[in-house]
């Protein structure tokens, strides 16, 4: 049964990662669309104060704090409000099965989103997917599970949302290629030599988007676009050679689809994540809102250029991992998470990021048809190798 045929008058949502960048913007959408959406579950890893504040405003049925040491703080604060409080990873996987949830927004960062997403799919819950690592790690398993359960997966990334919107009404027409746009990040046009001394503060200055630290660093290294390439393969059932990346510094064209007749459809808008979040949460409706509007006269020049994969090697590594298949994307993702964490701790330099990833890809044994347990083991092994890299 399709979501819109079975839901209650307002769509009950669970937001996994409600205190992060996507989660907080999703709650802005709920404020805007309170007649269409209500919050059933909120979760956060460690930001107990903000989780409590959100819960007192939106009054979910339950919340989960990942850090078990903070359960008492959250429970004491929400006891009088009648909000059930749970803690830990297993609780998060269980709570997604709750009655009253029509859709789950997975806005957690990194591989932690995989198990709760799979559990939600198994429970027949529709997914608004902002956690790209879920499909990077286990795209084939996740999409097969969704098809088996009749679950819809609505992409939240602006690029994949754009493609999804371009495909509306076109599902009978074969795709020739999808074109993912990239801002180029804060270091677009820079040479390798000029990047030798860049700091994490430099890398965290994204020109167009306001995102969390991990995603912002991935954008600076073009790994974010590489992960999106892998995600696009699974979301839209295309081959790697049907996916192109184009640098578009203005971030107005969010992505395009070219069909077999040569026509290209593109989705445009200001760089504001609230629009793709709303589209995913309220699909298939387009609800009126007060978000800022794009005006062509304010952006008279839109430019496009090739990505520099020699300077930003992570994009090439991602394409190669996708073509290799099996557990290679999971290795790539895990190693990158460790590399970014080490960079943010000043343990490695910016130009070391692809070296760490490549090192893990070369060290972890490739598996052609991995099971979920195999992928989790590959993830752990890749993290160990990436942590031990010394250059």
């Amino acid at each position: 049964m399709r979501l819109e045929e079975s839901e209650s008058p307002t769509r009950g949502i669970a937001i996994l990662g409600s205190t992060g960048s996507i989660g907080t913007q999703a709650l802005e959408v709920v404020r805007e669309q309170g007649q269409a959406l209500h919050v059933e579950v909120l979760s956060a890893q460690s930001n107990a104060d903000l989780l409590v504040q959100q819960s007192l405003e939106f009054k979910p049925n339950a919340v989960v704090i990942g850090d078990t040491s903070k359960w008492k703080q959250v429970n004491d604060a929400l006891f009088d409000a009648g909000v059930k409080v749970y803690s830990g990873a297993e609780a998060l996987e269980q709570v997604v099965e709750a009655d009253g949830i029509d859709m789950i927004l997975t806005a957690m960062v990194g591989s932690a989103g995989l198990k709760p997403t799979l559990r939600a799919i198994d429970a027949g819950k529709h997914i608004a997917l902002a956690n790209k690592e879920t499909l990077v790690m286990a795209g084939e398993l996740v999409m097969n599970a969704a098809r088996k359960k009749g679950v819809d997966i609505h992409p939240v990334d602006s690029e994949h949302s754009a493609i999804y919107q371009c495909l509306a009404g076109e599902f009978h027409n074969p795709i020739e290629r999808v074109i993912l746009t990239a801002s180029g990040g804060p270091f677009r046009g820079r040479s390798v030599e000029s990047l030798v001394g860049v700091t994490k503060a430099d890398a965290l200055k994204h020109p167009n988007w306001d995102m969390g630290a991990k995603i912002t660093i991935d954008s600076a290294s073009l790994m974010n676009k590489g992960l999106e390439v892998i995600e696009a393969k699974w979301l839209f059932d295309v081959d790697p050679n049907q996916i192109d990346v184009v640098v578009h510094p203005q971030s107005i064209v969010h992505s395009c689809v070219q069909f077999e007749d040569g026509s290209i459809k593109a989705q445009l808008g200001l760089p504001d994540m609230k629009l793709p979040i709303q589209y995913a949460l309220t699909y298939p409706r387009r609800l009126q809102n007060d978000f800022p509007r794009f005006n062509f006269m304010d952006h008279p020049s839109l430019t496009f250029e090739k990505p520099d994969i020699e300077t930003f090697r992570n994009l090439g590594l991602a394409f190669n991992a996708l073509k290799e298949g099996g557990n290679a994307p999971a290795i790539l993702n895990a190693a990158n998470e460790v590399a970014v964490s080490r960079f943010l701790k000043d343990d490695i330099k910016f130009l070391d990021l692809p070296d760490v990833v490549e090192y893990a890809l070369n060290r972890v044994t490739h598996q052609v048809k991995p099971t979920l347990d195999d992928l989790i083991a590959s993830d752990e092994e890749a993290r160990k190798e990436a942590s031990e890299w010394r250059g």
Side-chain angles (χ1 to χ4, degrees), residues 90 93-94 96-97 114-124:
E90 180 59 30
E93 292 178 37
Q94 293 174 354
V96 298
E97 300 175 339
L114 175 58
K115 285 187 176 181
T117 301
L118 282 171
R119 190 77 166 258
I121 290 172
D122 190 55

Side-chain angles (χ1 to χ4, degrees), residues 3 11-14 16 96-97 101-107 113-132 134-135 142-143 145-146 149-156 164 231 235 276-277 279-283:
L3 178 62
R11 184 171 293 178
I13 62 171
L16 309 187
V96 298
E97 300 175 339
I101 299 174
D102 298 305
M103 177 172 284
I104 293 174
L105 170 61
T106 55
L114 175 58
K115 285 187 176 181
T117 301
L118 282 171
R119 190 77 166 258
I121 290 172
D122 190 55
K125 308 297 184 181
H126 299 282
I127 306 296
L129 188 65
N131 174 256
K132 62 176 63 66
T134 290
L135 290 185
V142 171
M143 296 307 291
K149 289 290 183 176
V151 164
D152 296 333
I153 296 183
H154 305 297
V156 171
Y164 198 64
E231 188 181 9
L235 281 171
I277 291 169
Y279 188 77
L281 293 180
T282 63
Y283 180 89

Side-chain angles (χ1 to χ4, degrees), residues 26 262 278 282 287:
Q278 177 179 297
T282 63
L287 302 183

Side-chain angles (χ1 to χ4, degrees), residues 46-62:
S46 59
N47 193 341
D49 291 338
L50 183 53
L51 180 62
V52 167
Q53 178 183 326
Q54 293 173 339
S55 301
L56 291 173
E57 177 182 356
F58 292 96
K59 298 178 175 56
N61 181 50

Side-chain angles (χ1 to χ4, degrees), residues 163-181:
I163 294 168
Y164 198 64
Q165 293 181 59
C166 290
L167 289 174
E170 299 280 5
F171 292 103
H172 57 291
N173 287 321
I175 298 171
E176 185 166 286
R177 62 175 178 151
V178 297
I179 305 164
L180 295 170
T181 56

Side-chain angles (χ1 to χ4, degrees), residues 22 34 98 105 110 149-150 170 207 246 320 343 351 390:
I22 294 294
L105 170 61
K149 289 290 183 176
E170 299 280 5
V246 174
N320 290 340
F343 174 64
L351 289 176
R390 292 294 177 265

Side-chain angles (χ1 to χ4, degrees), residues 350-362:
F350 180 77
L351 289 176
D352 294 332
L353 292 170
D355 292 336
V356 175
V357 173
E358 189 170 39
Y359 178 80
L361 283 166
N362 290 333

